[in-house]
Amino acid sequence: KENIFSGVQPSGIPTIGNYIGAMKSFVDLQDQYNATYCVVNQHAITVPQDPEKLRKMTRQLAALYIALGVDPKKSTIFVQSDVPAHAQLAWIIQCLTGLGELERMTQFKDKSAKNETVNAGLLTYPTLMVGDIVLYKAKYVPVGEDQKQHMELTRNFVDRFNSRFGGILVKPDIITPKEGGRIMSLQDPTSKMSKSDSNPKGFISLMDEPKTVVKKIKSAMTDSLGQVNYDKENQAAISNLLVIYSNLSGQSIDQLVAQYDGKGYGQFKTDLADLVASFLEPIQSKVNQLMSSSDLTDILSEGAKKASQTANETLAEIEAAVGLRY
Ligand code: TYM
């Protein structure tokens, strides 16, 4: 089986965008591949985090992986800071990466524009991500479209490293969903749905209560055309809701458009709100149950043990190749 790797930052509660863009694939791909899924808490501290909240979010995100269907018997689930090889390798990668390459990253540009103070970690962030992926020799990385640029950086790094130090590293390919690689804000169909959006009406978090879900979907932006159509140019907001509906129901967009022909937005939104709320309900009760049990701690320490083994082997190979073992 080929290896896949992915991670989510515990910098907020994941949204249905994170689910549709990435976490849904975690579940779908785990039978076919040897999967490793990480809670990337070291990435999260590139912007200020409250320590108590970060601890909670870290556990909650791991619980969400499991509640969404990642099976710890099939996949390795672990927390990044439990495996020191990530930070160790990031240093080596930083020393092999040009400053200009990092300054070009749009995520860095966006986040540094939003934050008053910019720390060095925000800039070197992608080198930590490159390390995450190469440590597990991942052939595929399931992520949303906003990670394309980081994936290109990873692929370029692997090429450069392999030609300079010998072909040790695996060059990864991105896996993004056909429809849903970029779920947009419910309040602004030109910007990405984000778990750290200052306006909570823009996103649906995976832990939102049913009545919150209903409120947010009812107040989601639409347009004045009054007809459920898939047209990203002229009806971006409705098209976004259709993508969400399609991903959670398994119905195709064409089917949905036909189903709501002549029905207007009211019924469509009511049905979508029901769908989202009833999708989230069993997941939330599983998360709450896991959060208060010792099982989660056991799964994560088992995961860290397994991940460390692979990660340490790769790190040793890389250190030997660059001359750090003597
Ligand atoms: P993060 O935590 O921002 O997002 C987690 C995953 O969700 C995807 N995503 C979306 N997909 C569709 N629509 C959206 N609106 C949306 N918003 C986010 C992201 O693309 C991502 O797949 N750098 C990564 C975390 C990371 C990682 C890695 C991923 C660190 N190391 C190694 C893969 C492999 C990030 O910030 O994801």
Side-chain angles (χ1 to χ4, degrees):
K1 276 189 188 175
E2 286 174 309
N3 298 334
I4 61 173
F5 180 93
S6 194
V8 178
Q9 295 190 58
S11 51
I13 302 173
T15 68
I16 48 168
N18 297 126
Y19 172 69
I20 294 170
M23 296 160 92
K24 185 170 187 282
S25 310
F26 294 7
V27 181
D28 296 343
L29 297 170
Q30 65 181 341
D31 290 316
Q32 214 178 321
Y33 296 101
N34 177 30
T36 307
Y37 301 124
C38 183
V39 175
V40 290
N41 59 343
Q42 288 167 314
H43 279 89
I45 62 167
T46 54
V47 297
Q49 300 290 340
D50 171 61
E52 192 52 50
K53 222 166 136 195
L54 181 59
R55 276 190 281 272
K56 182 181 175 213
M57 295 288 184
T58 300
R59 278 179 70 84
Q60 192 181 59
L61 179 52
L64 265 168
Y65 283 176
I66 298 163
L68 289 168
V70 177
D71 181 350
K73 291 199 190 73
K74 296 178 189 160
S75 307
T76 304
I77 303 171
F78 75 102
V79 175
Q80 190 177 33
S81 61
D82 282 338
V83 180
H86 290 255
Q88 290 173 279
L89 179 56
W91 173 254
I92 298 174
I93 296 172
Q94 281 168 51
C95 295
L96 297 169
T97 302
L99 198 52
E101 254 188 302
L102 297 176
E103 284 167 342
R104 268 200 300 281
M105 294 292 117
T106 52
Q107 195 172 43
F108 169 69
K109 287 196 253 180
D110 290 350
K111 288 199 177 175
S112 56
K114 262 188 231 152
N115 288 282
E116 279 164 30
T117 56
V118 176
N119 61 58
L122 198 62
L123 178 70
T124 59
Y125 169 115
T127 62
L128 184 59
M129 175 162 169
V130 171
D132 297 340
I133 297 166
V134 301
L135 276 176
Y136 301 92
K137 302 198 168 169
K139 182 75 198 85
Y140 297 104
V141 179
V143 281
E145 279 171 18
D146 63 344
Q147 297 302 314
K148 269 189 182 158
Q149 204 185 19
H150 291 158
M151 288 304 300
E152 270 319 298
L153 183 87
T154 307
R155 290 166 55 79
N156 291 335
F157 174 81
V158 168
D159 280 342
R160 246 184 305 132
F161 185 95
N162 281 346
S163 69
R164 182 160 164 205
F165 300 107
I168 297 173
L169 305 180
V170 173
K171 190 172 176 179
D173 282 309
I174 187 172
I175 296 184
T176 47
K178 269 190 240 79
E179 242 357 300
R182 188 175 174 83
I183 300 294
M184 308 311 280
S185 159
L186 300 182
Q187 293 299 321
D188 173 12
T190 62
S191 70
K192 189 186 71 167
M193 183 181 285
S194 163
K195 54 171 129 63
S196 47
D197 189 342
S198 56
N199 178 8
K201 281 183 157 182
F203 60 82
I204 292 171
S205 110
L206 296 180
M207 298 304 284
D208 274 347
E209 285 179 31
K211 60 174 196 292
T212 311
V213 170
V214 171
K215 253 196 242 157
K216 286 183 178 179
I217 290 180
K218 288 239 160 95
S219 67
M221 200 179 142
T222 52
D223 54 55
S224 55
L225 297 172
Q227 171 65 43
V228 176
N229 264 326
Y230 188 67
D231 177 349
K232 279 186 166 169
E233 288 267 298
N234 302 306
Q235 292 185 264
I238 281 293
S239 300
N240 185 47
L241 296 180
L242 272 167
V243 171
I244 296 171
Y245 200 143
S246 166
N247 267 284
L248 293 188
S249 67
Q251 286 172 279
S252 72
I253 287 174
D254 286 347
Q255 268 172 341
L256 291 169
V257 169
Q259 186 179 324
Y260 287 97
D261 184 33
K263 290 208 176 92
Y265 298 150
Q267 188 61 47
F268 175 76
K269 280 183 162 183
T270 305
D271 293 350
L272 177 59
D274 279 350
L275 176 70
V276 176
S278 57
F279 167 74
L280 293 180
E281 207 177 56
I283 290 162
Q284 294 171 355
S285 61
K286 182 91 210 263
V287 167
N288 293 331
Q289 178 204 322
L290 278 162
M291 291 284 280
S292 57
S293 85
S294 63
D295 295 359
L296 186 63
T297 311
D298 294 344
I299 289 167
L300 291 178
S301 73
E302 199 48 47
K305 230 196 282 172
K306 258 178 78 185
S308 292
Q309 210 165 9
T310 312
N312 289 339
E313 274 171 32
T314 309
L315 179 64
E317 274 183 275
I318 292 172
E319 287 185 337
V322 301
L324 290 173
R325 300 252 160 166
Y326 58 92

